[in-house]
């Protein structure tokens, strides 16, 4: 996963998902954002509530939800939104094609992005 989509762009996509009240940073992303700033790393990779790991093909999204829908559905929609956005950016086209071609629904491709959604609060 490269950072062609910035953490800010991913945050905008996530907040558009029905049921998401907003990005709500937890201690993990807060420490990462502060550490990234102190080390003067690329500010597009880490934002309070959104961490994109370029080397490990993973992203962590921390959100607050409003309870208008079941938590499981909101989390699934957030994960699908992020994965779709990364695929549309052209980063993982080959991984998704190989996954569909062989029909390995239970096996994850190592190159496919992993999106972790942490629900910080329910209102």
């Amino acid at each position: 996963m490269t950072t062609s989509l910035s953490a800010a762009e991913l945050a905008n996509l996530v907040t558009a998902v029905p049921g998401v009240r907003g990005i709500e940073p937890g201690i993990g992303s807060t420490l990462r954002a502060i550490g990234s700033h102190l080390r003067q790393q690329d500010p597009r990779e880490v934002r309070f509530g959104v961490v994109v790991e370029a080397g490990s093909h993973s992203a962590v999204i921390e959100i607050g939800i409003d309870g208008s829908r079941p938590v499981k559905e909101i989390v699934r929609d957030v994960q699908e939104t992020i994965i779709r956005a990364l695929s549309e950016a052209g980063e993982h086209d080959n991984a998704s094609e190989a996954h569909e071609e062989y029909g390995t629904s239970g096996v994850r491709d190592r190159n496919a992005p992993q999106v972790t959604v942490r629900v910080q609060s329910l209102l």
Side-chain angles (χ1 to χ4, degrees):
M1 176 183 304
T2 63
T3 56
S4 64
L5 285 175
S6 71
E9 291 169 321
L10 292 177
N12 288 335
L13 291 173
V14 168
T15 56
V17 173
V20 175
R21 193 168 29 92
I23 298 295
E24 192 169 316
I27 190 72
S29 70
T30 300
L31 292 174
R32 293 286 306 263
I34 292 170
S36 176
H37 178 72
L38 291 174
R39 289 188 301 271
Q40 298 179 347
Q41 293 176 331
D42 188 358
R44 295 179 300 155
E45 292 180 14
V46 179
R47 179 184 170 109
F48 292 102
V50 180
V51 178
V52 179
E53 292 287 343
S56 66
H57 303 289
S58 67
V60 177
I61 312 294
E62 297 173 330
I63 60 173
I65 61 175
D66 62 13
S68 63
R69 300 173 47 212
V71 175
K72 191 174 189 176
E73 289 179 13
I74 295 170
V75 169
R76 181 198 63 222
D77 290 349
V78 169
Q79 288 175 322
E80 289 175 354
T81 299
I82 298 300
I83 291 170
R84 188 177 322 116
L86 294 174
S87 296
E88 286 174 2
E91 297 172 1
H92 300 287
D93 291 341
N94 294 338
S96 62
E97 289 173 11
H99 186 274
E100 292 174 2
E101 181 180 343
Y102 295 111
T104 56
S105 60
V107 179
R108 289 188 174 166
D109 191 334
R110 289 183 181 172
N111 293 327
Q114 300 297 311
V115 179
T116 302
V117 178
R118 295 183 182 139
V119 177
Q120 299 295 334
S121 67
L122 303 167
L123 289 181

